[in-house]
Amino acid sequence: VAAPSTLRLASRAPREPPRAGTTQRLHSAVWPPPRSTVRRTAAASALAADYLARDDAHRLTMLGTGALAPHLIEAHASVRPINHVRIWGRTPEKAVALADRFKDRFTTVEAITDKSAAIAAADIVSCATLSAAPLVHGADLGPGTHVDLVGAFRPDLRESDDQVIARGRVFVDTCAGALAEAGGGGLKRPAADGGGLKRLAADGGAGAAKA
């Protein structure tokens, strides 16, 4: 790979109050996620993308259509010149509805069914789902793609395959939380080679090495 991808994985400790970098879709069947929680989660994704995504990243693929999805789209657009957005969801009608919300916001925004092609064309891939099987495959990623994995906050959940982890430099919200709780397979090297967002922000992004 000419340039490694960068990945940001979120984690959440069971029974703890929601915090930045977590996804609350698991709880949405019981109670709606607090607006502040959703915004904090999206803000953590924006922070990671600001340090890790290429400066010219303008094509975003959003996997998932839940409560977090519109906030993640806006979050990435706040730190990068996003003008092309593709949205995939298990329920195509929800992807269409979400795309319609942003029809006047971006140059192009579309609901898609060919997930692999949308991932291959993306500069940033954001994923917020409760999938137990990989949705993002390393073979589909282009060089230097930034991957934002928000939903796999338990070891039995998995949004990416092993090749995604192997090909990229991995940054996490918290190292301890990611090793203990985050899904995604392959995340057994020390909280990933990139470390946590706090460290990344503290050193001003040194070592992030954008493509």
Side-chain angles (χ1 to χ4, degrees), residues 9 60 118 124 175 182 209:
L9 291 90
L60 169 68
I124 298 175
C175 297

Side-chain angles (χ1 to χ4, degrees), residues 150-167:
V150 179
F153 61 88
R154 295 195 318 256
D156 61 314
L157 300 178
R158 190 169 191 185
E159 293 185 312
S160 64
D161 68 3
D162 289 349
Q163 191 176 356
V164 173
I165 303 299
R167 287 184 57 180

Side-chain angles (χ1 to χ4, degrees), residues 31-202:
W31 66 80
R35 182 175 298 181
S36 60
T37 297
V38 171
R39 288 178 174 174
R40 287 197 304 270
T41 302
S45 288
L47 175 66
D50 196 27
Y51 283 117
L52 301 172
R54 296 196 307 263
D55 291 338
D56 62 350
H58 63 280
R59 297 168 299 183
L60 169 68
T61 291
M62 181 72 230
L63 306 182
T65 57
L68 267 171
H71 296 275
L72 288 168
I73 292 171
E74 289 286 9
H76 287 296
S78 73
V79 296
R80 287 297 180 270
I82 301 298
N83 52 27
H84 300 289
V85 178
R86 296 176 176 89
I87 302 170
W88 176 90
R90 294 189 187 280
T91 305
E93 294 78 10
K94 291 183 179 180
V96 170
L98 183 56
D100 190 59
R101 288 177 58 177
F102 288 100
K103 64 182 180 181
D104 298 322
R105 173 73 169 80
F106 301 101
T107 303
T108 62
V109 55
E110 58 182 328
I112 54 92
T113 56
D114 189 343
K115 175 169 54 65
S116 294
I119 290 172
D123 300 313
I124 298 175
V125 177
S126 186
C127 189
T129 73
L130 291 177
S131 181
L135 297 176
V136 183
H137 297 269
D140 294 329
L141 293 173
T145 304
H146 175 64
V147 181
D148 177 42
L149 301 176
V150 179
F153 61 88
R154 295 195 318 256
D156 61 314
L157 300 178
R158 190 169 191 185
E159 293 185 312
S160 64
D161 68 3
D162 289 349
Q163 191 176 356
V164 173
I165 303 299
R167 287 184 57 180
R169 297 197 63 206
V170 181
F171 296 78
V172 297
D173 286 3
T174 65
C175 297
L179 289 174
E181 300 140 18
L187 187 60
K188 297 302 180 186
R189 56 203 200 209
D193 42 15
L197 289 184
K198 183 177 180 180
R199 174 182 170 187
L200 184 66

